[in-house]
Amino acid sequence: MGGPPGPMGVVRIVEAAPGDLDAVLQVERLAFAREDEARLVADLLQDPTAQPGLSLLAYVGEEPAGHALFTPVRIEDAGCEVPAQILAPLAVVPKFQRQGVGRALIEHGASLLGDRGVGLVFVLGDPDYYRRRGFMPTRPLGLLPPYPVEPDAAWRVRILRPMPAGSLAGTVQCARSLCKPEYWRE
C-alpha cells in the first residue's frame, strides 16, 4: 500500500510479521519517548485474547515511520453481535509526524478490517484528530468504554460496514492486556 507523498517520501504500509517486532517496538519507543506503549504492544502481540489482531508498520523509504495495532473487542449486553476492533496504540516517529503517516495507517487498517468483516473500530484519543479520520463520539450510540474516560469525547468509534438492525448499545470489553485502568486516561 502506498500512501500520500510527504516532504520525506511515500508512505508504504505492510502487515508486521514476527520478524518486524524490533522495528515495531522501536517506533513505539520513539513516538512516545517512553517504554509504556512498547510494553503494551509486546503484551498485546502475545495475548491470546487480542487475537486475531492487525499490526501495521509504515515505512518512509526504508525507515520505519509508524505503527498501528488493532485488536478485537466485544460489546457486552448488545442486542446484536458486530465484529469490532480497537486501535491502540497508533504511533508515529516524531520526524514523520504531520506528514500523513498516521492517516495512512488508519485508512489502510480500516480498509483491511472492513474487508475482513469488521464493522466497528474504537479508539481512545484526541477527539479533533480522530473526528477528521471518520471517528464519531460513542456516547450517543450507547457504546461505553471499559473504564470511565475524560474527556468523554475522546472515546470514539468508526463504522466500517452497515450495521444490522437491533441495538448495539453496551460496554466494550478489550483484550486482557489492554483492560487496565491506567490505559484509559487520555
Side-chain angles (χ1 to χ4, degrees):
M1 143 94 191
M8 305 200 88
V10 173
V11 178
R12 179 176 54 92
I13 298 175
V14 299
E15 287 194 52
D20 295 321
L21 182 60
D22 288 343
V24 164
L25 297 180
Q26 185 64 15
V27 166
E28 296 292 337
R29 289 181 187 107
L30 291 171
F32 293 102
R34 61 183 187 206
E35 284 293 316
D36 297 4
E37 287 76 11
R39 267 195 306 274
L40 172 61
V41 167
D43 289 347
L44 285 166
L45 291 172
Q46 296 298 313
D47 183 343
T49 68
Q51 306 308 320
L54 175 63
S55 180
L56 298 176
L57 190 55
Y59 289 89
V60 174
E62 295 303 312
E63 193 170 351
H67 176 251
L69 183 59
F70 299 85
T71 56
V73 298
R74 62 183 170 75
I75 304 168
E76 273 189 358
D77 304 321
C80 59
E81 190 164 324
V82 173
Q85 299 246 337
I86 186 169
L87 168 57
L90 172 66
V92 178
V93 173
K95 75 179 187 178
F96 296 114
Q97 291 177 0
R98 301 194 191 316
Q99 297 177 42
V101 174
R103 180 182 66 232
L105 283 162
I106 292 168
E107 293 308 317
H108 191 69
S111 177
L112 287 174
L113 291 170
D115 289 349
R116 295 174 185 179
V118 172
L120 302 171
V121 174
F122 292 90
V123 71
L124 175 64
D126 179 272
D128 290 330
Y129 178 83
Y130 287 104
R131 176 187 49 77
R132 293 190 308 270
R133 305 294 167 257
F135 290 82
M136 63 183 71
T138 61
R139 181 72 58 182
L141 301 173
L143 296 166
L144 305 176
Y147 295 94
V149 297
E150 290 292 330
D152 189 54
W155 179 237
R156 305 186 76 77
V157 66
R158 181 166 167 178
I159 299 171
L160 303 181
R161 301 173 61 83
M163 294 293 102
S167 172
L168 283 178
T171 301
V172 173
Q173 296 300 318
C174 302
R176 227 178 349 263
S177 297
L178 189 56
C179 220
K180 299 176 183 172
E182 61 267 27
Y183 294 135
W184 295 89
R185 296 185 190 105
E186 178 45 27

